[in-house]
Amino acid sequence: MAFAFRHQPLKSLYLASAIFLLLFVRIPIWTIQYSFPFGRPRRQWSLGRSLIVSALGFFIDVLYTTSLLPSPSIEKLAEKGAEAGFVWIEATPSLIHGEILEKAKTNGVEAVRTGGFWFGERGADGAAGQKAGPDELVFYHFHGGAFVMGTSDPSTSANKTLFLGLLRHNTKVRRVFALEYRLSSAPPFASRHPFPAALIDSIAGYRYLVEDVGFNPSNIIISGDSAGGNLAYALTRYISTDGAHGLPHAGALLLLSPTVDWADTHIGADSSIRRNARTDFVHPIFTSRFTYRALQGSLPDDEVATNSWISPGSLKIAQPSGIFAAFPRTLIVSGSVEMTLDPIRTLRDRMVDDMGKDRVRYLEVPESTHDFMTQTWHEPERTNTLKLVGNWVDSL
């Protein structure tokens, strides 16, 4: 059972035993095993990478046995202030329409004020969030964390690594705006912010970029990694297909290891979530079904598998055709040995069917795990891929 040791004193006892097991049993055994290429998760991997991936998998398993890492509240993040690049984003209830409004009513989700962080170049006065230049491009980014943990704070290692890399390897974009969207939760913890809370927040952030900061919508690159890639897709779909809101279309979409099948419908012994279990570290996220239940809220039990807003890569979507017809140019990046590879490929195929091969570019990077572009240890794949992403951005 997920989070079986969340209560004290069992939690402390479990953590102590897990640390002991890792330091004095797992790591020594892995080190011996991985000293030989045939014993590693991938023969091509180094001893160091093999150890890191195994340790990350162990760490995430511990989290889903005890409790998730706490994420800061929006009020706590706001205390970092303008010097850290934080800005408030006002709620936009008038922009929520159609199916998303219906799902919001079912799940009791309302539009609320949120915030986000600017990263990159600042104005002449040193302040972040300066007005957009006439031809300025921007990354509008959503962080990963399975919709249940994480933050947009650029001071975190993963965000800083990714943002620096994105800005360093292109010639057009000098700023990233990262939204602090609401995180979801489900029993055994309090139920909070189910679908479409994060999407509603992302809509407010998009309006902020267009109307308050003054970006030409065609110069906005909507991007996201992992669960953030799912959210980037959903926002792009909303502004591309729902004409009632009046929001203009974005210029491009960048999806980095997007998690697009929360119901885990790609099953079987040869599915990527099975065959890549040793070469990735996200298995507990799916076996626990915590995100599944957190997004579901009061929606029907099969909604996560059949709702193309939540799981656009699900095999249980009845009629996926046409979803992506009005999407902008898109780049999808995946790792060849990540567990969520099959759903990403399904998403790619559906996008190509709707948009055509010339508007969808797909990079499947050999020997790479889930969300590898946020990890400094994942070289040379990380830097090589950032350069390819930068070339794509420069071609827009």
Side-chain angles (χ1 to χ4, degrees), residues 1-8 11 14-15 56-72 143-151 182-192 227 262 281-295:
M1 182 180 71
F3 309 109
F5 295 99
R6 65 188 181 277
H7 296 303
Q8 298 290 10
K11 181 178 179 179
Y14 175 84
L15 288 174
L56 281 173
F58 184 87
F59 173 71
I60 292 179
D61 186 61
V62 169
L63 288 183
Y64 277 80
T65 304
T66 54
S67 59
L68 301 177
L69 292 173
S71 298
H143 67 83
F147 283 116
V148 297
M149 53 185 165
T151 175
R182 282 174 285 181
L183 300 178
S184 303
S185 183
F189 308 110
S191 296
R192 298 169 59 247
W262 291 108
F281 42 80
V282 298
H283 195 264
I285 294 174
F286 291 93
T287 56
S288 70
R289 295 179 73 83
F290 185 67
T291 295
Y292 180 107
R293 292 180 285 110
L295 292 174

Side-chain angles (χ1 to χ4, degrees), residues 49 52 56 156-165 168 369-383 386:
R49 179 179 298 187
I52 290 171
L56 281 173
T156 63
S157 175
N159 288 338
K160 187 175 183 179
T161 296
L162 178 60
F163 296 168
L164 282 173
R168 181 175 295 150
T369 65
H370 179 71
D371 215 2
F372 66 94
M373 292 172 66
T374 65
Q375 306 298 325
T376 56
W377 51 266
H378 215 308
E379 295 290 356
E381 295 87 358
R382 174 184 161 273
T383 296
L386 283 166

Side-chain angles (χ1 to χ4, degrees), residues 137-140 173 219-223 252-254 392-393 396:
L137 274 69
V138 67
F139 287 112
Y140 178 27
V173 187
N219 289 335
I220 298 176
I221 304 169
I222 299 175
S223 64
L253 174 63
L254 173 61
W392 175 79
V393 170
L396 295 175

